[in-house]
Amino acid sequence: MASFREARIALLDAYMDGLLDDDEFLVLWQAHKSKNPEFPYEEHGRFSFDELDEAECKAEFRFETRDLPVLVNVLGIPNQFTCSQRTVSDGMEGLCMVLRIMAYPCRYSDLIPRFGRPVPVLSMICNCVIDYIYDSHVHRLTSWNSQLLDPASLQMYCDAISRNGSPLDNCFGFIDGTVRPVCRPGEQQRVLYNGHKRVHALKFQEVVLPSGMIAHMYGPVEGRKHDAGMLADSGLLADLQRNAFSLTGQPLCLYGDPAYPLRIHLQCPFRNAVLTPQMQEFNAAMSALRISVEWLFGDIINYFKFLDFKNNLKVGLSSVGKMYLVGAIIRNAHTCLYHNQTSDFFSVDPPTLQDYFV
């Protein structure tokens, strides 16, 4: 099928050759006029990774030039992507498109000077790459990750949290839910509405480690879902009961806010009406450490600002939940390379990029 542009060129040729009169030409021209503005993408050259300046690479893609080929390799990005309408993109070009669109709230037309592609093509390539990363790597977040959560590593996390003033000597990480606002949908508004935050949103449950890595993520779920409901649906407690033990067999736990139930593998603050000084001291000490969860939530949307621009996150028109999960995967890759505030606070090195994506 010919594009709008090809059809208009054919109409102009027919008109110039006298095959169409004025009235016929005007009727057919209006019928083959695109509603989208025409951008002069032909004026811009195609993307060339070798011509990237170091500062431009860090600002636009969040990674240094020398690390992007490594990222392509560990993610298993193919040499080329072929979209459904047979558009072909180089693997590095496709990954850079996704990094660029997620780095800051922008329109696809803003990517034309960098990639020299039409807007529809940019959109299709980005969707193709996001689908590939999600399908290939989402299991690292949604299931028990033995690369991060083996018994020796769990004990190391417990020791790091204990060194920083934790009253619990068997706590290896922190759990919390995050509300990600989205554009108000045309349908099912009550399902997505979060009364506490007063926004329409999707929710995710995240488990954060002292190394600054997101070890587990569950979601998206509807915005009105309670944190305890997400925990029950996620199956995380069953994973903890099977796997959360030290090398000596001691049960290890996560620490969450008062929304979570008290279990052997899940601890939370004291919630009595009257708290003793010891209870208050415990709550204060653990609260000061649990803030690391909020740092990780902030890291994802600070490095990938597109995920925080709710006016463009339209459930039903785009894969909003999938994009957030892909952003978390890429954020973990970024942490492996450059550390983050959480890993520095606890003085725990994250795994190497190759170890995480093994």
Side-chain angles (χ1 to χ4, degrees):
M1 180 182 293
S3 66
F4 280 113
R5 183 179 182 81
E6 292 169 342
R8 288 195 296 273
I9 292 175
L11 286 174
L12 286 172
D13 291 340
Y15 180 70
M16 296 300 293
D17 292 339
L19 300 177
L20 298 174
D21 60 29
D22 292 347
D23 292 336
E24 291 173 330
F25 173 74
L26 288 174
V27 170
L28 292 173
W29 182 264
Q30 291 297 326
H32 291 82
K33 185 176 181 181
S34 174
K35 296 180 180 180
N36 298 321
E38 293 186 16
F39 297 98
Y41 62 89
E42 301 93 340
E43 298 178 2
H44 305 282
R46 288 293 180 86
F47 174 77
S48 175
F49 176 73
D50 295 332
E51 296 177 2
L52 277 178
D53 178 76
E54 182 66 43
E56 290 178 329
C57 186
K58 194 69 177 291
E60 295 185 17
F61 308 132
R62 304 304 193 198
F63 288 86
E64 296 180 4
T65 307
R66 68 175 184 272
D67 295 321
L68 276 176
V70 181
L71 184 62
V72 167
N73 182 54
V74 298
L75 289 175
I77 300 294
N79 292 331
Q80 68 178 31
F81 290 98
T82 303
C83 301
S84 57
Q85 53 33 296
R86 298 188 297 277
T87 293
V88 176
S89 167
D90 177 75
M92 174 65 79
E93 179 187 23
L95 178 61
C96 287
M97 284 183 189
V98 171
L99 294 176
R100 176 65 182 86
I101 199 69
M102 294 180 69
Y104 197 77
C106 63
R107 298 168 294 183
Y108 282 109
S109 58
D110 298 328
L111 274 62
I112 291 177
R114 172 61 68 189
F115 297 99
R117 300 267 197 168
V119 169
V121 172
L122 289 168
S123 176
M124 285 184 284
I125 294 174
C126 285
N127 288 335
C128 188
V129 177
I130 288 173
D131 287 344
Y132 178 84
I133 296 175
Y134 178 87
D135 293 338
S136 301
H137 300 287
V138 73
H139 66 276
R140 304 182 191 280
L141 294 177
T142 56
S143 59
W144 188 267
N145 192 332
S146 59
Q147 303 298 325
L148 293 177
L149 301 172
D150 61 283
S153 297
L154 291 177
Q155 186 61 58
M156 177 183 67
Y157 303 146
C158 291
D159 295 341
I161 294 175
S162 182
R163 284 197 306 268
N164 280 268
S166 170
L168 296 172
D169 62 359
N170 66 333
C171 175
F172 70 88
F174 305 92
I175 183 173
D176 201 1
T178 181
V179 177
R180 298 309 322 139
V182 298
C183 184
R184 184 178 65 182
E187 300 178 353
Q188 305 296 330
Q189 294 183 9
R190 290 182 179 273
V191 174
L192 294 183
Y193 188 73
N194 182 281
H196 178 63
K197 299 291 185 180
R198 299 183 181 275
V199 292
H200 293 88
L202 297 176
K203 291 191 70 174
F204 295 85
Q205 173 184 278
E206 299 185 27
V207 173
V208 174
L209 301 175
S211 60
M213 300 291 287
I214 301 170
H216 189 276
M217 183 176 287
Y218 175 72
V221 299
E222 60 271 24
R224 67 180 183 181
K225 194 82 171 182
H226 192 269
D227 286 356
M230 281 199 297
L231 176 68
D233 294 343
S234 68
L236 179 62
L237 277 178
D239 285 336
L240 291 170
Q241 291 167 2
R242 287 191 298 267
N243 302 290
F245 295 92
S246 68
L247 293 171
T248 59
Q250 179 189 12
L252 305 180
C253 69
L254 295 171
Y255 185 82
D257 61 28
Y260 292 101
L262 183 63
R263 299 289 186 271
I264 292 176
H265 295 281
L266 180 59
Q267 298 295 305
C268 55
F270 288 100
R271 292 170 287 195
N272 297 344
V274 179
L275 298 180
T276 66
Q278 291 81 5
M279 292 177 178
Q280 294 176 358
E281 184 178 348
F282 174 91
N283 287 354
M286 293 306 298
S287 177
L289 297 174
R290 201 187 67 82
I291 194 64
S292 60
V293 180
E294 306 297 336
W295 295 342
L296 260 295
F297 291 160
D299 279 345
I300 295 176
I301 61 174
N302 284 335
Y303 276 82
F304 303 108
K305 286 286 189 180
F306 183 84
L307 301 175
D308 197 33
F309 186 57
K310 72 174 186 177
N311 290 341
N312 210 27
L313 301 177
K314 301 177 181 179
V315 175
L317 294 180
S318 58
S319 304
V320 179
K322 182 181 291 186
M323 291 183 67
Y324 188 81
L325 287 164
V326 169
I329 294 169
I330 298 176
R331 178 57 202 169
N332 269 355
H334 194 279
T335 300
C336 291
L337 289 169
Y338 311 116
H339 294 207
N340 60 21
Q341 186 177 4
T342 302
S343 62
D344 292 340
F345 177 79
F346 288 104
S347 301
V348 178
D349 292 330
T352 65
L353 203 59
Q354 290 76 11
D355 288 341
Y356 180 63
F357 286 100
V358 69

